[in-house]
Amino acid sequence: MQIPNPDNTRQLELWHSYQRAKGKNGWLTLVQNIRNYSYFIRQLVRISFLKEFKRSYLGLLWLFILPIISAIIWILLNGAGIIKPGDTSISYPAYVLLSTSIWGFFVEIYKNTSNTFLAGGKMKLLARFPYEAFIVEKVIVHILRFVIPFVINIIVLLLFGVRFSWVALLFPLTLIPLLILGLSIGLVVSIFRVLLDDVAIFIDQAMGFLMFLTPVVYAPDIQIGFLSQLIHLNPLTYLVGFSRDVLIKGTFYEPGLWSICVLLTFIFFVITVRIFMIAEPRVIERLIK
Amino acid sequence: MVEKKLILSVRNLYKKFSRDLKYNLYYGVRDIFFDIMGSNQQRTGLRPKEFWSINDISLDLFAGDILGIVGTNGSGKTTLMRIIAGIYYPEAGTIHKLPKKKVTAVFVLGAGLRPLFTGRENIYIEGAMYGMSKQEIESKMTFIEEFSELRDQLDRPLGNYSSGMRARLAYAIALATEPDIFIIDEALAVGDSLFQTKCFEHLKQYVQQPEKAVLFVSNHIRKVLKIANRVLVMNSGQIIYESTDVKAALNFYINNCLQDLDEDIRQVKLKKVKNYNL
């Protein structure tokens, strides 16, 4: 073997090692990675929207057409007298419509991120790029996919005489904790999805059940025996309830408990991002594609 | 002889994998748990059902090198390339390189290209994956068009490309990143021989630039003969032979690694090496 000149060796810098894998994952690196790969993230977002409609003529227009169709169905239901506009308090169907879309906002980001490794495809085995790019892409796609139908829904509600207070303008901000919580759970479950699918399957089921423990299709003060206790222990009761009341009533639902839940959500997020970054290399080498 | 400049140095590299899927996943959960707990011990021993995919490999890459890496299937060539490219993490050992040198790897058949998108759209996607900006990709567009010889066909969906065309596109995109350390892992195994010859000529020119080198992984003896100026022979995760005498290394490879092969076929291969005019 050729022995390199020691002077020559000294010019080299460490590029890759086991210790480096563990040490590289600071928050600063995370932000830098996202900035350096912003064009890659844009491409991923683009692909994600385009690939779905590649075989259609209308293409991205479907993103608008589909919610308009469901709005029309909603209007027809309204004509049938199921919805009573102009009431002082919002009607039950409108309540459920808004409530479920808030819940959907939480649960969809969970679903998307928890599948990130399996959906990421072969790309990660081709080049060295930060895996976080896929997560950022998921978040951007998720927000865009939520905003379009949501805005259309709101317009329809306004046309039908539902009135919102100015406090409702705070609504987008109240979605942030829900996004962060769904994302955090998704990050942890994405690891299990590859290494220990049993846990992932179990949590998927639990998320379905969780919807019934959260006042989404019923009001928070419902009396259903011991389940009422669970509802009050469920942080999502406060996170979803706060968002919904801001939007519908222009009031703040349990602001004290909500603030505690928000704080805990952010702490949970910091921990799960760290876990995700530590686990990522071990997960990637176990992706059999 | 003029002393060559060292640009990449691999020392005592180890990587292990598990033969059994369930064990592999279980070890994954365990390792992650210990990583999170902050345990710093390097687990260099083997646990049940594990094997060394890379077992104590050290190598140096010098400027101007086209280092051929040969070995039977499963000898750890691709794993080694993935570690050098920064995709897999080693269990132990280090890789040093000259600062700011770009490592680009291109693997078999242009995997990762998207069939529903056109060739041109794929250039943007892959280029971005390699970390290029929009401007960089656009400034390289003509080069990719010319080098891949696809030109008008670039606006057709990639799904309609032949495997050779895909390989040409993937290769041209990787080349457009202007790698300093260029890893070619069987990426030239498909495609027509004219294109391959062009690539070989281009690579020979390419490494003449200062501080550039190529790692060329192939099982194809004639290709290695054509291009490499140094050869490593890998077997079971170890480098068992290394030489700047390409013919000697290939002889060693044929005699020691291809024992399952019929004697006649081996003789044919040996003759090929012997008669090849470097």
Side-chain angles (χ1 to χ4, degrees):
Chain A
M1 187 169 194
Q2 284 165 286
I3 304 296
N5 181 342
D7 287 343
N8 209 184
T9 319
R10 225 168 285 138
Q11 293 174 5
L12 303 183
E13 66 170 13
L14 184 62
W15 152 249
H16 206 37
S17 77
Y18 173 71
Q19 277 82 3
R20 198 185 140 84
K22 295 180 69 182
K24 63 146 196 176
N25 297 315
W27 284 86
L28 187 69
T29 331
L30 183 70
V31 176
Q32 279 171 348
N33 280 342
I34 291 171
R35 216 181 29 218
N36 291 343
Y37 280 81
S38 57
Y39 184 63
F40 180 50
I41 294 168
R42 257 167 60 198
Q43 284 293 324
L44 289 176
V45 171
R46 207 177 141 263
I47 297 169
S48 161
F49 278 108
L50 288 179
K51 75 166 180 234
E52 203 175 326
F53 302 107
K54 262 287 166 182
R55 292 177 191 276
S56 103
Y57 275 106
L58 296 173
L60 293 183
L61 276 179
W62 279 111
L63 287 175
F64 298 91
I65 297 171
L66 290 173
I68 289 172
I69 291 174
S70 41
I72 291 171
I73 294 171
W74 206 79
I75 293 166
L76 291 175
L77 290 177
N78 184 61
I82 298 167
I83 302 153
K84 293 188 218 83
D87 284 6
T88 39
S89 106
I90 197 158
S91 63
Y92 180 70
Y95 177 90
V96 171
L97 180 77
L98 293 173
S99 232
T100 44
S101 59
I102 295 170
W103 176 261
F105 183 77
F106 163 73
V107 90
E108 283 300 316
I109 189 68
Y110 159 77
K111 277 187 195 157
N112 293 341
T113 39
S114 77
N115 280 312
T116 168
F117 282 113
L118 295 187
K122 250 190 149 176
M123 244 185 181
K124 189 56 226 185
L125 295 180
L126 297 177
R128 173 179 168 124
F129 60 81
Y131 209 84
E132 298 88 271
F134 282 119
I135 305 291
V136 179
E137 174 239 341
K138 293 271 184 297
V139 172
I140 295 173
V141 170
H142 173 64
I143 291 173
L144 290 175
R145 284 198 160 267
F146 176 77
V147 165
I148 298 167
F150 190 79
V151 168
I152 292 173
N153 280 346
I154 294 290
I155 292 171
V156 171
L157 287 176
L158 284 170
L159 288 177
F160 277 77
V162 175
R163 289 291 165 257
F164 299 94
S165 83
W166 289 108
V167 177
L169 289 176
L170 290 174
F171 174 71
L173 292 178
T174 66
L175 287 178
I176 294 172
L178 283 166
L179 177 79
I180 298 285
L181 184 62
L183 180 62
S184 306
I185 302 173
L187 286 179
V188 175
V189 175
S190 71
I191 301 167
F192 286 114
R193 185 85 62 203
V194 179
L195 299 182
L196 196 60
D197 204 10
D198 312 62
V199 174
I201 296 168
F202 178 78
I203 295 179
D204 284 346
Q205 292 304 311
M207 293 296 263
F209 182 60
L210 198 58
M211 181 173 150
F212 298 105
L213 287 185
T214 311
V216 176
V217 289
Y218 51 82
D221 46 7
I222 193 171
Q223 288 306 319
I224 38 172
F226 77 99
L227 281 180
S228 302
Q229 300 294 321
L230 287 177
I231 290 169
H232 288 294
L233 289 173
N234 177 5
L236 280 160
T237 302
Y238 306 104
L239 293 177
V240 172
F242 191 87
S243 270
R244 184 186 45 218
D245 280 10
V246 161
L247 181 66
I248 296 176
K249 298 181 188 160
T251 58
F252 302 110
Y253 176 73
E254 298 274 8
L257 286 170
W258 179 76
S259 308
I260 294 171
C261 290
V262 170
L263 184 70
L264 291 177
T265 298
F266 276 90
I267 295 172
F268 183 56
F269 177 63
V270 170
I271 296 169
T272 51
V273 169
R274 191 84 195 120
I275 290 175
F276 182 83
M277 290 194 292
I278 292 172
E280 183 211 299
R282 301 235 181 243
V283 176
I284 284 169
E285 66 189 35
R286 285 173 173 81
L287 278 176
I288 300 173
K289 295 255 175 175
Chain B
M1 188 184 141
V2 189
E3 194 181 314
K4 286 173 163 182
K5 184 153 192 179
L6 182 64
I7 54 177
L8 181 90
S9 170
V10 176
R11 284 291 170 273
N12 308 101
L13 209 64
Y14 288 88
K15 180 79 198 171
K16 58 187 173 184
F17 284 121
S18 171
R19 284 192 187 88
D20 182 280
L21 178 67
K22 288 283 187 305
Y23 272 85
N24 190 18
L25 301 182
Y26 163 68
Y27 291 143
V29 175
R30 246 184 85 117
D31 288 349
I32 289 170
F33 178 75
F34 284 117
D35 286 348
I36 291 167
M37 291 293 125
S39 138
N40 262 318
Q41 56 166 6
Q42 286 192 21
R43 289 165 293 272
T44 39
L46 284 183
R47 296 171 285 192
K49 309 245 183 194
E50 281 187 327
F51 67 97
W52 291 116
S53 173
I54 299 293
N55 191 355
D56 196 8
I57 280 191
S58 299
L59 70 92
D60 286 312
L61 190 64
F62 297 91
D65 263 358
I66 298 182
L67 180 56
I69 295 165
V70 294
T72 49
N73 293 337
S75 55
K77 303 184 301 289
T78 296
T79 306
L80 179 62
M81 292 309 118
R82 283 189 176 149
I83 297 174
I84 293 176
I87 298 162
Y88 284 170
Y89 285 87
E91 210 70 48
T94 56
I95 299 172
H96 286 80
K97 69 171 177 61
L98 273 185
K100 298 206 175 81
K101 291 292 155 200
K102 192 168 176 66
V103 185
T104 300
V106 48
F107 294 99
V108 210
L109 244 182
L113 295 171
R114 280 149 206 270
L116 281 178
F117 290 83
T118 65
R120 201 177 298 280
E121 283 174 307
N122 271 290
I123 294 174
Y124 282 102
I125 300 165
E126 289 270 295
M129 179 189 80
Y130 284 126
M132 293 166 87
S133 69
K134 192 175 186 214
Q135 291 77 17
E136 283 174 307
I137 296 170
E138 272 162 6
S139 70
K140 283 285 172 187
M141 196 51 96
T142 337
F143 168 81
I144 296 173
E145 281 173 18
E146 296 295 319
F147 197 91
S148 66
E149 297 165 18
L150 289 168
R151 294 183 191 94
D152 301 342
Q153 287 153 323
L154 272 184
D155 293 309
R156 281 168 50 187
L158 189 107
N160 294 343
Y161 285 23
S162 68
S163 58
M165 285 158 77
R166 286 178 207 209
R168 263 149 58 187
L169 183 62
Y171 186 82
I173 299 170
L175 208 50
T177 64
E178 295 184 355
D180 300 295
I181 297 160
F182 190 25
I183 299 173
I184 304 166
D185 190 339
E186 296 281 16
L188 292 175
V190 287
D192 58 288
S193 56
L194 260 161
F195 181 73
Q196 286 178 12
T197 314
K198 176 175 113 177
C199 288
F200 287 159
E201 290 311 312
H202 177 267
L203 276 181
K204 282 180 183 162
Q205 294 294 316
Y206 194 74
V207 293
Q208 297 305 312
Q209 302 171 64
E211 301 181 358
K212 302 235 185 238
V214 171
L215 285 162
F216 187 83
V217 176
S218 181
N219 267 338
H220 205 278
I221 285 162
R222 194 183 283 274
K223 282 178 191 156
V224 176
L225 276 169
K226 245 185 213 168
I227 190 150
N229 60 9
R230 217 173 112 211
V231 171
L232 298 179
V233 182
M234 278 184 76
N235 192 30
S236 312
Q238 288 178 310
I239 293 174
I240 53 168
Y241 194 86
E242 183 191 358
S243 176
T244 45
D245 183 345
V246 175
K247 283 189 171 184
L250 289 173
N251 272 326
F252 183 89
Y253 168 64
I254 295 164
N255 284 324
N256 290 276
C257 301
L258 303 180
Q259 276 145 1
D260 294 343
L261 229 53
D262 275 355
E263 189 53 36
D264 307 348
I265 301 176
R266 241 169 54 200
Q267 288 309 325
V268 171
K269 281 183 183 287
L270 282 171
K271 208 178 265 171
K272 228 191 250 174
V273 174
K274 198 174 151 201
N275 297 337
Y276 190 84
N277 208 347
L278 277 172

